[in-house]
Amino acid sequence: MNIKIRKGELQDAKAVARFNILMAKETGNEELDFETVFRGVKAVVKDPHKGFYLVAESKGEIVGQLLVTPEWSDLRNMNFLWIQSGYVREDLRKQGIFSPLSSS
């Protein structure tokens, strides 16, 4: 499978929000409101201080994602980057999509 990894953009927000909702349902059996999640995704994309999304794309379609958020450590005087909201489309798992996302 040919995968392209790139930063998420505003036009990706609906797909990212859908994946976030699926992830919450799968991992915590949570039902999330699409509009709230969609606004949250757009807030990240519009404000790089909040973090950034990486998306995995195949044939022009987003098939995976993750959110990278910074956290300042006063103890080490540096930012740490945290990976959150990792998701790969269920039918495409175990095909090597998440590894390039998390190592980008």
Side-chain angles (χ1 to χ4, degrees), residues 7-76:
K7 273 196 173 178
E9 301 170 353
L10 202 51
Q11 70 232 25
D12 304 321
K14 284 186 180 180
V16 170
R18 282 192 295 272
F19 280 178
N20 282 343
I21 289 168
L22 289 169
M23 180 205 51
K25 179 69 173 167
E26 186 176 320
T27 61
N29 203 29
E30 291 184 66
E31 298 286 341
L32 299 178
D33 174 67
F34 177 82
E35 287 304 319
T36 302
V37 176
F38 183 52
R39 286 192 307 270
V41 170
K42 288 191 301 185
V44 170
V45 174
K46 290 179 179 179
D47 182 358
H49 292 99
K50 287 180 171 53
F52 60 91
Y53 285 96
L54 291 175
V55 296
E57 194 175 62
S58 177
K59 299 178 185 173
E61 182 181 357
I62 295 174
V63 296
Q65 71 178 43
L66 59 79
L67 169 63
V68 178
T69 56
E71 179 183 353
W72 179 254
S73 170
D74 57 344
L75 302 177
R76 294 191 173 83

